[in-house]
């Protein structure tokens, strides 16, 4: 067929161009307030039917929604709170882990290892840099003879996982690396892949990327009911303040409330029970510390024990403070999922532990505390990621490893939704500095603000918010808030 004169042939639109138009259309349809107030739809606005609705706006829910949107799925997130990532994701340690102490036969371990391989390339496209990630490594210290006896077993586990650079250090080598440790330290395993991140910035980077690639986030959307709509194949989701939504598939990423959402979605009562596990943290600062010569360079861990895992850890965060924790206490009672208080006696013990193990912190002052609630499931030591039926997937029991594993959890869940074969690449990570695996093509974030820029924005706003990626965000992570409040007091 001859092409008509004067009529230009339409160019084929790239996937990124389509997503950019979709994101812009979302802005136009919902109105400017949709973005300025944190993308919260008002109750009187019409809600169209979506392919997928993710319940829960923590780092895992954001990663799943983002991954689905990149694949062309129409997806929205319903978040109970007035800001994303304020519950389980708002109280994690901010440590990137390798899973060396996990059972290697678990899905958790495989997804952790898979995520580690994509982090460098993914984080760059999320606008993150070494300002937000410190690949400092960790030292798993033996403080007594029983700890010392576990080190060869830990080395075997690390080498089996592919971390062949892990090695046992003599006491002399250990104290040369970290001269401010207590001389009672007997030996250590060098765990070079563990790292420190700014947990709140990493999470909002996921959120911003999700939005840029077409995800709609509806906040203040407390889910109260989930029911099928006749034989249409649709599900109706009722919320307390934001109206009713219809969707083809519900993905439960409700974290601490995962068991309650599961009961609503299946109408059979909970098949698992979330028991929140509180971890309390103390944040210290060393007066007049020279940033070029900090008290600690690496994360100080203890040899894992069955009852407490890694136990209390001590590390220097990216704001220049020292964090010690966590505790680990199962919570019960009516406030078990909301009580983020810290106990003065536990905090005092944490500070004592830090100063005993690291005498270089003897002059450090306590500047704040925070706690996190992990969605633990008793008698289960692995993730629950299951397609219960064609309209419902549950993603539950994601505990302290969720921040690290989130990208791989997103891919795994998206594959489950699409019926794609699940060949999780959780094997060896060799050699030690393997180039990052390629990531899918998506609309990239602009650069995230530096730690200094975060502080300036927070202190100028004076209302608990920060400007980042061209948007205003409520700071929802306990450690980040402690550090920014401290900086504002000392400007």
């Amino acid at each position: 067929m001859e092409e008509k004169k004067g009529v230009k042939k339409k160019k084929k639109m790239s996937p990124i161009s389509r997503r950019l138009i979709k994101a812009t259309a979302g802005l136009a349809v919902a109105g400017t307030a949709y973005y300025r107030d944190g993308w919260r739809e008002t109750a009187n606005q019409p809600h169209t039917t979506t392919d997928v609705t993710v319940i829960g706006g923590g780092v895992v829910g954001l990663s799943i929604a983002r991954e689905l949107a990149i694949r062309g799925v129409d997806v929205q997130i319903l978040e109970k709170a007035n800001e994303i990532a304020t519950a389980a994701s708002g109280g994690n340690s901010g440590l990137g882990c390798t899973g060396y102490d996990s059972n290697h036969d678990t899905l958790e371990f495989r997804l952790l290892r898979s995520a580690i391989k994509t982090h460098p390339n993914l984080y760059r496209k999320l606008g993150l840099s070494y300002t937000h990630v410190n690949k400092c490594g960790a030292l798993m210290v033996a403080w007594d003879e029983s700890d010392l006896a576990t080190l060869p077993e830990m080395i075997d586990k690390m080498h089996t996982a592919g971390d062949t650079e892990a090695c046992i250090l003599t006491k002399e080598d250990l104290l040369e690396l970290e001269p401010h440790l207590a001389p009672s330290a007997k030996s250590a395993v060098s765990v070079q892949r563990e790292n420190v991140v700014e947990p709140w910035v990493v999470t909002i980077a996921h959120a911003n990327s999700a939005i840029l690639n077409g995800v709609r986030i509806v906040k203040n959307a407390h889910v109260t009911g989930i029911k099928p709509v006749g034989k249409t194949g649709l599900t109706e989701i009722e919320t307390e303040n934001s109206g009713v939504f219809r969707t083809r598939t519900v993905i439960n990423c409700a974290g601490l409330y995962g068991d309650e959402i599961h009961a609503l979605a299946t109408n059979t009562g909970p098949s698992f029970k979330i028991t929140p596990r509180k971890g309390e943290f103390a944040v210290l600062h060393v007066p007049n510390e020279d940033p070029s010569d900090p008290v600690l360079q690496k994360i100080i861990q203890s040899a894992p024990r069955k009852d407490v895992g890694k136990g209390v850890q001590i590390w220097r965060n990216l704001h220049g403070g020292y964090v010690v924790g966590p505790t680990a206490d199962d919570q019960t009672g009516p406030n078990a999922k909301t009580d983020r208080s810290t106990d003065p006696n536990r905090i005092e013990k944490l500070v004592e532990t830090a100063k005993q193990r690291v005498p270089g912190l003897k002059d450090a002052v306590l500047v704040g505390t925070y706690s996190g609630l992990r969605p633990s499931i008793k008698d289960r030591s692995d993730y629950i990621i299951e397609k219960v039926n064609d309209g419902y997937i549950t993603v539950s029991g994601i505990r302290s490893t969720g921040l690290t594993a989130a990208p791989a959890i997103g891919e795994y869940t998206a594959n489950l939704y699409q019926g794609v074969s699940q060949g999780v690449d959780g094997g060896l990570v060799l050699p030690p500095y393997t180039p990052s695996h390629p990531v899918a093509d998506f609309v990239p974030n602009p650069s995230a603000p530096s730690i200094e820029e975060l502080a300036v924005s927070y202190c100028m706003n004076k209302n608990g918010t920060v400007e980042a990626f061209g948007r205003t965000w409520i700071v929802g992570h306990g450690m980040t808030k402690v550090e920014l409040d401290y900086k504002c007091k000392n400007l």
Side-chain angles (χ1 to χ4, degrees):
M1 183 184 292
E2 288 187 9
E3 189 178 327
K4 289 184 180 180
K5 291 182 180 179
V7 178
K8 290 184 179 179
K9 213 172 183 180
K10 286 187 178 180
K11 290 182 180 179
K12 191 173 180 182
M13 195 177 293
S14 71
I16 280 192
S17 297
R18 285 197 295 271
R19 288 197 291 273
L20 278 170
I21 289 172
K22 186 177 177 183
T24 307
L27 178 63
V29 171
T32 307
Y34 186 88
Y35 281 84
R36 283 184 180 168
D37 74 354
W39 327 289
R40 178 177 59 82
E41 294 181 347
T42 57
N44 60 1
Q45 286 180 317
H47 301 305
T48 57
T49 299
T50 57
D51 294 331
V52 172
T53 295
V54 174
I55 300 176
V59 67
V60 171
L62 291 164
S63 295
I64 291 171
R66 180 188 156 280
E67 180 67 28
L68 287 167
I70 288 168
R71 299 185 187 195
V73 178
D74 183 26
V75 57
Q76 68 184 357
I77 294 173
L78 302 184
E79 168 53 44
K80 178 180 181 180
N82 69 338
E83 184 57 285
I84 51 97
T86 59
S89 293
N92 53 39
S93 64
L95 296 178
C97 55
T98 61
Y100 68 79
D101 56 330
S102 300
N103 184 332
H104 291 191
D105 295 327
T106 61
L107 178 61
E108 176 184 36
F109 176 78
R110 298 202 312 276
L111 292 179
L112 271 171
R113 303 302 289 190
S114 179
I116 290 168
K117 299 175 187 180
T118 64
H119 279 170
N121 276 339
L122 175 63
Y123 279 12
R124 288 186 197 102
K125 292 193 76 170
L126 291 179
L128 302 170
S129 69
Y130 287 119
T131 301
H132 313 103
V133 181
N134 179 15
K135 296 184 176 183
C136 55
L139 295 170
M140 191 180 75
V141 179
W143 298 102
D144 56 34
E145 293 299 328
S146 62
D147 287 345
L148 200 59
T150 67
L151 299 191
E153 179 187 351
M154 295 312 303
I155 281 289
D156 287 344
K157 289 188 74 171
M158 291 175 197
H159 287 181
T160 300
D163 295 335
T164 54
E165 72 277 16
C167 60
I168 295 179
L169 303 176
T170 65
K171 178 171 183 169
E172 292 72 25
D173 289 338
L174 171 61
L175 294 178
E176 184 176 340
L177 277 174
E178 293 288 4
H180 297 295
L181 283 182
S184 57
K186 296 184 177 299
S187 180
V189 171
S190 175
V191 191
Q192 295 182 30
R193 296 179 193 274
E194 304 269 299
N195 57 75
V196 177
V197 304
E198 210 310 320
W200 182 71
V201 176
V202 170
T203 301
I204 65 165
H206 280 283
N208 195 72
S209 179
I211 294 163
L212 286 182
N213 287 279
V215 176
R216 295 182 298 281
I217 299 176
V218 186
K219 297 186 285 188
N220 293 311
H222 177 196
V223 173
T224 56
I226 301 174
K227 60 184 180 183
V229 183
K231 296 182 180 180
T232 63
L234 299 176
T235 297
E236 196 167 78
I237 304 172
E238 299 171 352
T239 67
E240 192 172 274
N241 302 311
S242 298
V244 177
F245 301 83
R246 286 191 172 188
T247 192
R248 293 180 177 84
T249 298
V250 173
I251 299 182
N252 173 12
C253 294
L256 293 164
Y257 299 89
D259 52 350
E260 298 176 31
I261 295 299
H262 188 78
L264 290 176
T266 58
N267 200 29
T268 58
S271 58
F272 57 88
K273 180 175 174 54
I274 299 290
T275 301
R277 183 168 296 155
K278 181 185 283 190
E280 299 180 35
F281 300 85
V283 183
L284 310 172
H285 269 256
V286 176
N288 304 314
E289 182 181 45
D290 180 356
S292 67
D293 185 27
V295 171
L296 288 177
Q297 299 280 357
K298 298 181 179 293
I299 305 161
I300 304 302
Q301 302 174 340
S302 298
R305 298 178 181 181
K306 289 184 179 179
D307 53 341
V308 294
K310 292 179 183 175
V312 172
Q313 304 181 70
I314 310 162
W315 68 96
R316 191 174 193 265
N317 65 30
L318 290 164
H319 298 265
Y322 292 88
V323 185
V324 54
T327 57
D329 299 288
D330 288 346
Q331 304 296 293
T332 58
N335 301 318
K337 295 183 179 182
T338 57
D339 181 8
R340 298 281 290 276
S341 63
T342 55
D343 178 79
N345 293 325
R346 289 193 177 94
I347 294 299
E348 185 179 357
K349 288 179 181 177
L350 286 175
V351 174
E352 287 176 2
T353 298
K355 294 186 176 186
Q356 286 170 1
R357 294 181 177 179
V358 188
L361 293 174
K362 63 181 175 58
D363 296 325
V365 294
L366 179 68
V367 301
T369 67
Y370 74 99
S371 73
L373 294 169
R374 286 159 277 179
S376 176
I377 299 175
K378 279 196 171 183
D379 303 320
R380 186 177 177 94
S381 58
D382 199 5
Y383 296 164
I384 299 176
I385 307 178
E386 297 174 359
K387 187 173 185 178
V388 178
N389 55 53
D390 287 340
Y392 175 61
I393 294 172
T394 188
V395 181
S396 299
I398 314 296
R399 299 164 298 166
S400 54
T401 55
L403 181 64
T404 304
I409 295 173
E411 291 182 3
Y412 186 88
T413 307
N415 287 343
L416 197 62
Y417 167 76
Q418 295 183 324
V420 176
S421 176
Q422 294 283 19
V424 180
D425 185 12
L428 300 182
V429 187
L430 292 171
Y433 303 103
T434 302
S436 175
H437 281 203
V439 294
D441 192 23
F442 63 86
V443 182
N445 279 346
S447 296
S450 67
I451 301 300
E452 292 74 20
E453 290 167 337
L454 278 179
V456 169
S457 178
Y458 184 86
C459 298
M460 288 182 66
N461 287 356
K462 298 181 180 180
N463 60 0
T465 66
V466 162
E467 308 299 322
F469 305 116
R471 311 179 194 276
T472 301
W473 310 80
I474 299 171
V475 177
H477 194 284
M479 185 272 291
T480 305
K481 193 171 187 310
V482 165
E483 288 289 7
L484 294 179
D485 283 337
Y486 176 73
K487 287 189 178 181
C488 293
K489 290 176 183 176
N490 289 275
L491 281 178

